[in-house]
Amino acid sequence: MEHPFLAQPVVELALALPMEALLSGSDDRILFRRAVAGRIPQSIVERHAKGDHSGIYQLGLQAHQSVVEELLMEGWLVANRLVGKEALRDELLQAAQGYTPNLWPILNAVAVELWIRSWQLF
């Protein structure tokens, strides 16, 4: 099973539980944390961050670089001079080549362009 926490019995159990059983003060996922305690490292049990996904984003940019480049270079943000075309292209090329210290400007520009295009369809 690829996603064991999406198995129907697990989902049904989670939906049937009162919220108080799922939370403890400010701690979330309390049942999960109790279930895996002693089976995986405690540092993982206690973590609250989901980790870094920049590698996945970078692979996506590599695989779809031409599509993303067209979206951004021909997009509304560049056309209305809200972002610099050359600077944005440089950032995209660096990200696609694996230099990903800060992908958020690229990801935000993609999100804005897709959002704008979704409204232009109406």
Side-chain angles (χ1 to χ4, degrees):
M1 174 178 279
E2 199 168 317
H3 301 284
F5 297 115
L6 295 178
Q8 186 172 349
V10 174
V11 172
E12 288 176 355
L13 171 66
L15 291 173
L17 292 171
M19 187 61 75
E20 298 79 32
L22 302 174
L23 302 171
S24 176
S26 64
D27 200 8
D28 62 354
R29 298 178 227 141
I30 192 70
L31 288 180
F32 172 77
R33 294 178 197 284
R34 288 180 185 160
V36 299
R39 294 186 175 100
I40 62 175
Q42 194 63 23
S43 61
I44 295 174
V45 173
E46 294 174 354
R47 78 175 180 200
H48 290 274
K50 294 188 183 222
D52 181 19
H53 298 91
S54 61
I56 294 168
Y57 298 142
Q58 188 263 332
L59 289 173
L61 286 174
Q62 275 183 338
H64 305 284
Q65 182 177 349
S66 62
V67 174
V68 175
E69 186 171 357
E70 180 182 341
L71 174 73
L72 296 178
M73 297 304 105
E74 305 301 323
W76 190 89
L77 292 171
V78 167
N80 288 279
R81 296 186 177 132
L82 292 173
V83 296
K85 188 173 187 173
E86 295 308 316
L88 189 58
R89 178 179 282 129
D90 290 345
E91 289 285 330
L92 176 60
L93 293 176
Q94 287 180 6
Q97 293 171 358
Y99 183 71
T100 58
N102 186 6
L103 280 174
W104 290 113
I106 297 292
L107 297 176
N108 287 336
V110 168
V112 168
E113 290 295 348
L114 292 173
W115 180 80
I116 289 170
R117 283 189 180 191
S118 74
W119 280 100
Q120 289 174 339
L121 295 175
F122 291 104

